[in-house]
Coordinates of all heavy atoms in Angstrom, one line a residue:
Chain A
M264 N 66.6 104.5 96.0 CA 67.3 104.5 94.7 C 67.9 105.9 94.4 O 68.6 106.0 93.5 CB 66.3 104.1 93.6 CG 65.7 102.7 93.7 SD 67.0 101.5 93.7 CE 67.1 101.2 91.9
L317 N 58.3 112.1 102.3 CA 57.7 111.1 101.4 C 57.8 109.7 101.9 O 56.8 108.9 102.0 CB 58.5 111.2 100.1 CG 58.4 112.6 99.4 CD1 59.2 112.6 98.1 CD2 56.9 112.9 99.0
E327 N 57.1 100.0 96.3 CA 56.6 101.4 96.1 C 57.7 102.4 96.4 O 58.0 103.4 95.8 CB 55.3 101.7 96.8 CG 54.1 101.3 96.1 CD 53.7 99.8 96.4 OE1 54.6 99.1 96.9 OE2 52.6 99.4 96.1
L330 N 60.3 102.6 93.7 CA 59.9 103.4 92.6 C 59.8 104.9 92.9 O 60.3 105.7 92.1 CB 58.5 102.9 92.1 CG 58.4 101.6 91.5 CD1 57.0 101.2 91.1 CD2 59.2 101.5 90.2
F333 N 63.2 106.3 93.2 CA 63.8 106.4 91.8 C 63.4 107.7 91.2 O 64.2 108.4 90.5 CB 63.4 105.2 91.0 CG 64.2 105.2 89.7 CD1 65.4 104.5 89.6 CD2 63.7 105.8 88.5 CE1 66.1 104.4 88.5 CE2 64.4 105.7 87.3 CZ 65.7 105.0 87.3
Q341 N 67.8 116.0 87.4 CA 67.4 117.1 86.4 C 67.6 118.4 87.1 O 68.0 119.4 86.4 CB 66.0 116.8 86.0 CG 65.5 117.7 84.9 CD 66.2 117.6 83.6 OE1 67.1 116.7 83.5 NE2 65.9 118.4 82.6
V496 N 85.2 96.4 81.1 CA 83.7 96.2 81.0 C 83.4 94.7 81.3 O 82.5 94.4 82.1 CB 83.2 96.6 79.6 CG1 81.8 96.1 79.4 CG2 83.4 98.1 79.4
Q511 N 73.2 82.6 95.3 CA 72.6 81.3 95.3 C 73.0 80.5 96.5 O 72.2 79.8 97.2 CB 73.0 80.5 94.0 CG 72.6 81.1 92.7 CD 71.1 81.3 92.7 OE1 70.3 80.4 92.9 NE2 70.8 82.6 92.6
E526 N 60.4 84.2 107.0 CA 60.5 85.4 106.2 C 61.3 86.4 107.0 O 60.9 86.7 108.2 CB 59.2 86.0 105.8 CG 58.5 85.2 104.7 CD 57.1 85.7 104.4 OE1 56.7 86.7 105.0 OE2 56.4 85.0 103.7
Chain B
L157 N 67.5 80.7 89.2 CA 68.5 81.0 90.2 C 67.9 81.8 91.3 O 68.2 81.6 92.5 CB 69.7 81.6 89.6 CG 70.6 80.8 88.7 CD1 71.7 81.6 88.1 CD2 71.1 79.6 89.4
S161 N 66.5 80.4 95.3 CA 67.1 80.8 96.6 C 66.2 81.8 97.3 O 66.6 82.5 98.2 CB 68.4 81.4 96.4 OG 68.8 81.5 95.0
Q173 N 67.9 94.4 87.8 CA 68.5 95.7 87.4 C 70.0 95.4 87.0 O 70.5 95.9 86.0 CB 68.4 96.8 88.4 CG 68.8 98.1 87.9 CD 68.5 99.2 88.8 OE1 68.6 99.1 90.1 NE2 68.2 100.4 88.3
L181 N 76.5 96.9 79.5 CA 77.9 97.1 79.4 C 78.5 96.1 78.3 O 79.3 96.5 77.5 CB 78.6 96.8 80.8 CG 78.3 97.8 81.9 CD1 79.0 97.3 83.1 CD2 78.8 99.1 81.5
S251 N 55.2 82.6 101.7 CA 55.5 81.4 102.5 C 54.3 80.6 102.8 O 54.3 79.3 102.8 CB 56.0 81.9 103.9 OG 57.3 82.5 103.6
I300 N 62.9 100.7 84.3 CA 62.1 101.3 85.4 C 61.0 102.2 84.9 O 60.0 102.3 85.5 CB 63.1 101.9 86.4 CG1 62.5 101.9 87.8 CG2 63.5 103.3 86.1 CD1 63.5 102.0 88.9
R311 N 48.3 98.7 88.6 CA 48.9 97.4 88.4 C 47.9 96.3 88.8 O 47.0 96.5 89.5 CB 50.2 97.2 89.2 CG 50.0 97.2 90.7 CD 51.4 97.3 91.3 NE 51.4 97.5 92.7 CZ 51.7 96.5 93.5 NH1 51.9 95.3 93.1 NH2 51.6 96.7 94.8
D337 N 63.2 120.3 79.0 CA 63.8 120.3 80.4 C 62.8 119.8 81.4 O 63.2 119.3 82.5 CB 64.2 121.7 80.8 CG 65.6 121.9 80.3 OD1 66.3 121.0 79.8 OD2 66.1 123.1 80.3
L340 N 61.8 115.3 82.6 CA 62.3 114.4 83.7 C 61.8 114.8 85.0 O 61.5 114.0 85.9 CB 63.9 114.5 83.7 CG 64.5 113.6 82.6 CD1 66.0 113.8 82.7 CD2 64.2 112.2 82.8
F347 N 56.4 109.3 89.3 CA 56.9 108.2 90.2 C 56.4 108.5 91.6 O 55.8 107.6 92.3 CB 58.4 108.1 90.2 CG 59.0 107.3 89.1 CD1 59.4 107.8 87.9 CD2 59.2 105.9 89.3 CE1 60.0 107.1 86.9 CE2 59.8 105.2 88.3 CZ 60.2 105.7 87.1

Side-chain angles (χ1 to χ4, degrees):
Chain A
M264 297 301 273
L317 301 174
E327 275 87 346
L330 291 176
F333 190 88
Q341 185 65 4
V496 170
Q511 298 307 302
E526 282 173 11
Chain B
L157 291 176
S161 3
Q173 187 172 36
L181 292 180
S251 292
I300 207 160
R311 67 190 175 104
D337 273 351
L340 282 177
F347 274 91

